[in-house]
Structure formats: structure tokens, C-alpha cells
Amino acid sequence: MLLAGSAAAQNPATCTQNCPAPYVPNEFWTTEYGPAAANIVLSPTNFLACSSTSYALCYYSGPDAAPKKKRGVAALPSLPCTISAEDANIADCRCYAESGNSYVDIHSIRNTEAYIETVRVCGLNGEKCRNLASDELPGRIASATGATPPTLPTAPVCDYLQADASGKAPMAPDAELVSTFSFARAKSYGVQQTDCPNAAPYAGCMTASCTVERDGKGKPTGFANCRCPIYTGPYQIGQAGASCSAGDGNVWSAAYAPPSTGSGHSGK
């Protein structure tokens, strides 16, 4: 089901007290290209700007083997996305655990109430809230015109990323942290992509539920374990020169920016 025109047309109950609301999986086709699990990117404004004490970065996850070490760059870890033995529609992905500023793709919000609230405030493409474009452009606009752009509100979905007193983030009942996108590891991996135009399974990790990875003594390792839905379609990988195959039993954490959108990159 494609959510066309406005989320208000669906007239669902809206969270007005005791928010965030209980978790209900988002079954909407959030764009004509697929549901939230497809991680579709149509515009830079789709990436809503948030800040949280912790989030998972699955942008580089996929094969069992770590990427080859580049000159001047420290060795990179293994970040596999393994198809679950219990559920072939889920990938268990090892991701970085980060904190601070990150971005949520508005089309990939897997919590129904968070999605409805966010679309109503931010618009279907996120342009009415702080986003990747609005965070980058104000300085340029002010320099060129002498005018200060209006301040945009923070998207409601950002409230669903913060863990509550129970240690769980409201995005989903079992989420210690939530998978979003950032440039935190761009120096190590670069910003180029690999396009995989043939439809194949991939993990749509944006807003997936994650737990903190801990060592034998219970200490956080700096990584997270995320359960990402698997979707089949064309996609882009967040690394240059990568094979579109992540290896037997594995899938890439990926997203899809249709060629005509000119979005420049995709996140997950």
C-alpha cells in the first residue's frame, strides 16, 4: 500500500500523550519503490537530522571478510550481515556503535507511529524538518545572500532513538540502540558507492533494532548487533569497488536511490 499525498489521509490515531506510542510495524509502501524495509532514498531532504547518545552505523556491513587495508588507514573490522537461520527474511548484522549526530531516512522508519508523526510534521520527503540538506546549506545561503535561513524543527522520529529508563529505545521493544546513518567512518571507507542494478536480496538496516555487543566481561566492544529486514531489489553499497555479492549466507546492508532522483548517495 503506497502512502500517497499525505499521511493524514489515513487518519490513524496520533500520539498526543504518553508518547512515544507503542510499537506497530510500518507496513506502508512509503514510496512507489517499496516499503520501509527497502530503504529508498529520493532526496537529501529524506535524511532527517537527529542527535542521540548512541546509534548503530550499519552502512559498511555485509561480507564476513574485512575490507582490505588502505594506505594510511587503520585495519578495518569484519562486519558481517548473516542471513538468520531462524528467519530467512532477517539478517543479523554486526555494525559500528556510535554516538552524536546521525540521519534517519524518512522513507525507512519502521515504527508506524513514528512514521506518521514524522510525515505530518516534516512532509513526505522531510523538507520541513532539519535534514541533510538544511544542515549543509545555511552557511552557503547566508554567505551568498546575507540572509539567515529559517530554523527548521527537529523531526519527531528523533525522540524514538533515545533509550528510556529501561535502557530500550522506543523505536522497537527490543532496541538498545537504533540503526541510522552518519559520516562518522567516511575517512576510513571513503564516500564512493558501488551500484548493483540487478535485483537481489539486501539488508535494509535503517531504523533496525540493535543491541550493544559486549565482550566476555560485559564491557561494550564499540560494535552493535542489529536485526535488519531483507528486501529484494536493486541497491547501492556504501563502498567503492565492492562485489555485489556479500558471499554465501550473507547480504549487504544497502539502500536504493533510483537513478532519476540524483540524490548523490544512499544511507542505511
Side-chain angles (χ1 to χ4, degrees):
M1 175 170 50
L2 173 64
L3 187 63
S6 170
Q10 303 294 329
N11 193 29
T14 299
C15 186
T16 57
Q17 59 183 357
N18 299 323
C19 302
Y23 174 69
V24 176
N26 182 5
E27 302 295 340
F28 289 126
W29 270 50
T30 54
T31 74
E32 64 182 293
Y33 298 96
N39 284 196
I40 302 299
V41 181
L42 301 179
S43 164
T45 65
N46 295 168
F47 287 102
L48 301 168
C50 297
S51 181
S52 56
T53 54
S54 62
Y55 65 90
L57 176 61
C58 298
Y59 192 52
Y60 310 104
S61 302
D64 287 329
K68 292 182 179 179
K69 186 179 183 299
K70 298 178 182 179
R71 181 179 298 177
V73 176
L76 297 169
S78 173
L79 300 171
C81 270
T82 306
I83 299 172
S84 172
E86 291 77 28
D87 187 346
N89 296 311
I90 295 292
D92 295 316
C93 299
R94 188 181 194 229
C95 309
Y96 287 105
E98 306 284 353
S99 63
N101 297 326
S102 68
Y103 298 92
V104 174
D105 176 10
I106 193 170
H107 302 309
S108 305
I109 300 173
R110 298 174 61 203
N111 179 307
T112 299
E113 186 60 45
Y115 177 65
I116 295 296
E117 289 180 51
T118 299
V119 167
R120 284 180 167 170
V121 173
C122 304
L124 285 173
N125 286 303
E127 69 279 358
K128 297 179 182 179
C129 291
R130 284 185 56 217
N131 59 70
L132 182 60
S134 72
D135 274 15
E136 291 185 351
L137 291 178
R140 301 178 190 176
I141 294 174
S143 177
T145 67
T148 301
T151 300
L152 297 176
T154 298
V157 70
C158 297
D159 290 336
Y160 287 75
L161 305 181
Q162 301 284 356
D164 59 21
S166 72
K168 300 297 176 66
M171 183 64 72
D174 56 351
E176 291 182 325
L177 61 168
V178 178
S179 173
T180 60
F181 168 75
S182 78
F183 297 103
R185 300 285 170 169
K187 287 185 178 180
S188 296
Y189 290 87
V191 295
Q192 300 301 311
Q193 292 183 316
T194 297
D195 187 51
C196 299
N198 297 322
Y202 63 92
C205 288
M206 176 63 70
T207 72
S209 300
C210 308
T211 56
V212 176
E213 181 185 273
R214 300 179 185 276
D215 62 19
K217 297 181 179 179
K219 183 178 179 180
T221 63
F223 297 94
N225 296 308
C226 302
R227 290 182 59 79
C228 303
I230 294 175
Y231 187 77
T232 297
Y235 57 92
Q236 290 92 24
I237 299 167
Q239 300 178 51
S243 169
C244 290
S245 172
D248 291 343
N250 286 41
V251 291
W252 279 104
S253 170
Y256 181 52
S260 61
T261 66
S263 62
H265 72 278
S266 55
K268 55 270 181 200

